[in-house]
Amino acid sequence: LGSGGHTVNQNTISTLTLSSPTAGSYSTNGIHCNAASGTNTLTKNKITELGSAGTSSSTLVAGIFLEGIGSVFGSNNIVLINNNTSSGNSVILEGIKNNSTGTVSLYHNTIKIYGTATSNSGSSSCYTNGGLNTINLRNNIFQNLRTNSGGTGKHYAINFSTSPSTVTAKQYNYFESSG
């Protein structure tokens, strides 16, 4: 989604896989919201079984990817990710990747990452903050059950790769991670 003021409501996105990537980094996103302005609303979406056969350590699989300067309100979304492709153990798995600089409010979302990394160093997180923004997190379930069996990646419930400008609310969230 580009520009701003969009509503994405009650969609099912399933079994979306980048199966034949060439060299380089690529991204598979269930919903990509580049909010240039206004308030964008993402509600009641179900995103399952995303994947990538990419082998680059910068290849990303994200259920919801947020960027731009607009505001985003996301509620009652379900994201389930298990990168089950045979060559995709190097990819980065993220339930919600937030690179925006606007205000992001996430309420009542369920994010689950699972499966086993059998080789390489692909990491995973249910929520990653990579932008200077204001975030509100309330009543979310962030469950990362991904494990390593030969892989060396780290697996987080929440990952602040960049500290947000402000965290205004982080109430009643459930975080679980395999480490």
Side-chain angles (χ1 to χ4, degrees):
L1 303 173
S3 65
H6 296 287
T7 298
V8 180
N9 187 32
Q10 296 184 342
N11 294 286
T12 299
I13 300 166
S14 181
T15 320
L16 182 62
T17 301
L18 180 60
S19 59
S20 299
T22 57
S25 62
Y26 294 90
S27 179
T28 303
N29 303 311
I31 297 173
H32 186 162
C33 180
N34 188 353
S37 63
T39 298
N40 297 273
T41 304
L42 310 173
T43 58
K44 299 180 183 175
N45 297 292
K46 184 175 182 182
I47 302 166
T48 63
E49 300 307 323
L50 302 180
S52 175
T55 57
S56 167
S57 61
S58 58
T59 298
L60 172 68
V61 173
I64 299 172
F65 190 154
L66 307 173
E67 61 182 337
I69 60 172
S71 297
V72 176
F73 175 76
S75 70
N76 297 301
N77 295 293
I78 297 172
V79 177
L80 307 173
I81 298 176
N82 172 19
N83 191 46
N84 55 4
T85 61
S86 61
S87 62
N89 286 305
S90 293
V91 301
I92 301 164
L93 305 180
E94 296 179 332
I96 298 174
K97 178 158 185 79
N98 180 9
N99 280 353
S100 72
T101 56
T103 298
V104 175
S105 299
L106 300 172
Y107 301 160
H108 311 288
N109 297 287
T110 300
I111 312 298
K112 181 177 181 178
I113 297 176
Y114 58 101
T116 302
T118 57
S119 63
N120 298 316
S121 60
S123 63
S124 64
S125 64
C126 294
Y127 174 84
T128 297
N129 195 80
L132 295 172
N133 49 32
T134 299
I135 61 171
N136 305 301
L137 299 174
R138 294 183 190 206
N139 300 323
N140 297 290
I141 299 171
F142 294 153
Q143 185 180 41
N144 190 339
L145 302 177
R146 192 159 179 86
T147 59
N148 291 324
S149 175
T152 58
K154 300 294 184 188
H155 308 293
Y156 306 101
I158 190 166
N159 178 12
F160 288 102
S161 59
T162 300
S163 296
S165 301
T166 307
V167 179
T168 59
K170 50 184 180 207
Q171 301 170 331
Y172 308 108
N173 296 292
Y174 174 78
F175 302 115
E176 180 180 355
S177 175
S178 61

